Amino acid sequence: MRRTVIVGGVAAGMSTATRLRRNDENMEIVVLERGPYVSFANCGLPYHLGGTIAERDELLLHTPESLAERFDIDVRASHEVVSIDRGARTITVVDRSADTTGTLSYDALVLATGASAVVPPIPGIERAHTLRDVPDLDSVMADLERDPRSAVVLGGGFVGLEAAENLAGRGLDVTIVEAADQILAPLDAEMAAVVARHLEGNGVRVRTGLRAVAIDEDSVRLDDGSVVPAALVLASTGVRPESGLARDAGLELGVGGGVLVDAQRRTGDPRIFAVGDVAVESSAVTGQDTLVPLANIANRHGRMVADVICGRTAGALPSLGTAIVGLFGLAAAVVGANERTLRQQGRAIHVIHTHPSDHAGYYPGAEMMKLKLVVDAETGLILGAQGVGRSGVDKRIDVIATAMRAGLSAADLADLELAYAPQFGSAKDPVNMLGMIADNLAAGTVGTTQWHEVHAAVAAGATVLDVRTPEEVAAGTIAGAVNIPLDELRKRLDEVPDGPVIATCRVGMRGYLATRILTQEGRDATNLDGGMLTWEDAGLPLA
């Protein structure tokens, strides 16, 4: 009887194990999990902190006993694999509960060891919690029973922000400390800033560009000299692959210490596979190796590896990195690469910002969202998208992610037939509108200027033309802007200063119309992409 041994019993490991059983009733399947729990919902851990998931046991999806009964899988919790003998095809296993050591042979070995929390080496860090597994959760909950009144979350990534939201929901005074200049690194600065302001508006302080230098008994000291109250501290400063077992076995590691694998998730040893957070992925956009610690990828690749072990021809596609987080009713989602990364790589890109409603504006309850699309200027392919809003963001990012996987161009988005009724969308869905703008850019019908390019353009002689009404402009505009309302522009063209013109309005629509008027009059004119709302999202000043 063939034996497959799986090291790690959470998302990737259990997906592999259960798929193996569905494929082969006769295979011996052994799952070894270092911790005391298997098949738990680690993405749900932050939501027990605030009581959204009221019962801890709701996070425990299976037990070794239930997995044995339903799938005939030998699942051994508290069993740590400490070494691999590739020549003999055996592993050394320590049973932590019995304090015994033994060996186990394998025909196929799957490393699904996941990733561990990065803990910054600062004085007092032993007081900080992490939140990666159920014991971590139990530790935080025990600390919360002391009824702390303040908390500091170190790190502004997805899990850190979710934890901050839930701690604030319990009534704690919460501060997020992020060493980078922004939270949510996958987003670009102007999009992340919207989320930061939303957190602040819900009572969570956000301190960026700062590092903790010491954790004291009831506070955290930062490198600017400030002291933040912190009866509870949570370190959420990233994760690193748990690849020591693979390294010690002589398997090759890649970016960030992840295990290098081929499209079938095979390591350099054809009998050993690596899946989930421990394995290196390939970016579908940049083609570069990367780490993508996301549950959906772990589950998909676990399933695929089971098929490969059972003889099917299968291979993993490069990752798009689609992700979403919800915070106090606001969603922030991303797919593909962001503008910052692509510009650093020297890619020629078009960038599109829009501020559409999630459904028809005349139907009650319409909410504005903010969408950003990044497009390859040469091929027209979609390189990435971001969305922030209260409603409808997930739907739009999922559509764009699907279009990217299908290889559609950005202009193709204009022709997607999407479900429409006034309470669900618009006759021209926000995704369609992104496609129409992309088509205009590709055809050269309009040119755009990004918010971060305005100052340099003005210094080089460009004029900002604000085509909103005087009443709108009185509430704030870009310093030095000339105001000619759109409806008066054709009659007042002689008042537009010589030289390049950057037209702007509230969201970009009137600026686009002004640009079309001016370019057909022979003027060098571009539209401020996303208008004044994107300018304000980026935190730039108004005159």
Side-chain angles (χ1 to χ4, degrees), residues 147-509:
D147 195 27
R149 305 316 305 157
S150 60
V152 166
V153 176
L154 303 178
F158 288 83
V159 175
L161 298 190
E162 289 168 344
E165 176 197 29
N166 282 277
L167 292 172
R170 290 182 66 105
L172 277 72
D173 182 15
V174 180
T175 301
I176 296 166
V177 177
E178 168 55 55
D181 291 336
Q182 65 170 77
I183 59 172
L184 292 175
L187 272 64
D188 285 310
E190 75 280 14
M191 304 295 281
V194 177
V195 182
R197 285 193 290 271
H198 182 73
L199 288 166
E200 294 268 6
N202 282 276
V204 175
R205 283 183 296 278
V206 179
R207 306 285 303 274
T208 55
L210 295 170
R211 296 179 181 273
V213 295
I215 299 175
D216 301 319
E217 184 177 349
D218 57 2
S219 63
V220 172
R221 282 181 279 156
L222 306 183
D223 58 1
D224 67 345
S226 62
V227 177
V228 183
L232 183 147
V233 180
L234 181 69
S236 186
T237 51
V239 297
R240 63 167 60 93
E242 284 269 16
S243 55
L245 188 63
R247 179 199 61 225
D248 294 345
L251 299 174
E252 189 175 0
L253 305 186
V255 60
V259 181
L260 281 177
V261 293
D262 63 14
Q264 293 188 322
R265 309 292 95 177
R266 273 196 174 90
T267 67
D269 185 323
R271 292 181 178 270
I272 302 178
F273 302 79
V275 291
D277 296 358
V278 74
V280 171
E281 302 291 337
S282 176
S283 167
V285 175
T286 67
Q288 296 178 341
D289 284 349
T290 186
L291 296 173
V292 187
L294 295 174
N296 55 1
I297 293 176
N299 279 283
R300 290 204 318 273
H301 289 175
R303 182 181 192 274
M304 185 209 70
V305 161
D307 288 348
V308 172
I309 291 171
C310 292
R312 281 187 59 181
T313 301
L317 294 171
S319 172
L320 291 170
T322 311
I324 189 168
V325 64
L327 302 164
F328 298 105
L330 188 79
V334 62
V335 60
N338 58 33
E339 177 186 2
R340 178 179 65 252
T341 298
L342 293 167
R343 290 196 186 279
Q344 289 171 351
Q345 294 178 351
R347 296 284 290 268
I349 57 175
H350 290 150
V351 177
I352 301 168
H353 291 83
T354 61
H355 305 268
S357 295
D358 67 309
H359 63 249
Y362 59 80
Y363 189 89
E367 297 265 11
M368 177 185 287
M369 70 179 80
K370 298 174 184 296
L371 296 177
K372 179 174 184 176
L373 193 72
V374 187
V375 183
D376 189 303
E378 297 173 354
T379 66
L381 291 176
I382 306 165
L383 301 178
Q386 299 162 46
V388 177
R390 288 187 173 274
S391 179
V393 167
D394 55 341
K395 170 182 173 180
R396 273 67 189 204
I397 292 298
D398 283 346
V399 169
I400 294 170
T402 304
M404 291 176 70
R405 180 62 78 206
L408 301 184
S409 72
D412 288 334
L413 298 178
D415 291 323
L416 294 182
E417 295 186 32
L418 304 174
Y420 163 63
Q423 64 269 48
F424 297 111
S426 301
K428 294 179 181 178
D429 189 85
V431 172
N432 297 137
M433 292 302 299
L434 290 171
M436 293 173 188
I437 297 169
D439 182 59
N440 284 337
L441 290 170
T445 303
V446 66
T448 56
T449 297
Q450 296 303 311
W451 60 270
H452 51 79
E453 299 171 332
V454 170
H455 288 313
V458 169
T463 297
V464 176
L465 177 66
D466 194 327
V467 298
R468 296 176 296 165
T469 66
E471 293 77 16
E472 290 175 283
V473 172
T477 188
I478 299 172
V482 173
N483 177 218
I484 302 176
L486 174 65
D487 294 344
E488 302 174 18
L489 181 58
R490 290 182 180 86
K491 298 177 181 178
R492 298 174 59 183
L493 288 171
D494 58 340
E495 299 179 35
V496 179
D498 294 337
V501 175
I502 302 171
T504 188
C505 61
R506 182 170 180 264
V507 299
M509 184 62 195

Side-chain angles (χ1 to χ4, degrees), residues 26-201:
N26 298 312
M27 180 179 290
E28 182 182 358
I29 304 167
V30 181
V31 177
L32 304 170
E33 167 55 46
R34 179 176 61 185
Y37 299 95
V38 297
S39 193
F40 60 87
N42 51 2
C43 294
L45 299 178
Y47 298 99
H48 183 55
L49 299 181
T52 301
I53 298 175
E55 298 298 328
R56 169 186 178 276
D57 287 353
E58 292 294 323
L59 299 169
L60 307 179
L61 308 179
H62 277 288
T63 64
E65 293 75 20
S66 69
L67 289 162
E69 183 176 352
R70 177 164 296 181
F71 295 102
D72 190 24
I73 297 172
D74 181 1
V75 180
R76 308 177 192 178
S78 299
H79 280 63
E80 182 176 7
V81 179
V82 294
S83 66
I84 302 170
D85 185 334
R86 291 166 52 192
R89 295 209 304 272
T90 62
I91 56 175
T92 301
V93 186
V94 176
D95 181 346
R96 296 298 184 190
S97 58
D99 195 23
T100 59
T101 301
T103 60
L104 188 66
S105 64
Y106 63 83
D107 295 293
L109 180 66
V110 180
L111 303 179
T113 47
S116 59
V118 173
V119 180
I122 59 176
I125 193 62
E126 63 276 1
R127 191 165 75 80
H129 298 278
T130 56
L131 193 59
R132 291 289 299 167
D133 54 28
V134 176
D136 283 350
L137 176 66
D138 291 342
S139 177
V140 180
M141 294 303 294
D143 210 354
L144 287 170
E145 289 180 4
R146 299 187 299 105
D147 195 27
R149 305 316 305 157
S150 60
V152 166
V153 176
L154 303 178
F158 288 83
V159 175
L161 298 190
E162 289 168 344
E165 176 197 29
N166 282 277
L167 292 172
R170 290 182 66 105
L172 277 72
D173 182 15
V174 180
T175 301
I176 296 166
V177 177
E178 168 55 55
D181 291 336
Q182 65 170 77
I183 59 172
L184 292 175
L187 272 64
D188 285 310
E190 75 280 14
M191 304 295 281
V194 177
V195 182
R197 285 193 290 271
H198 182 73
L199 288 166
E200 294 268 6

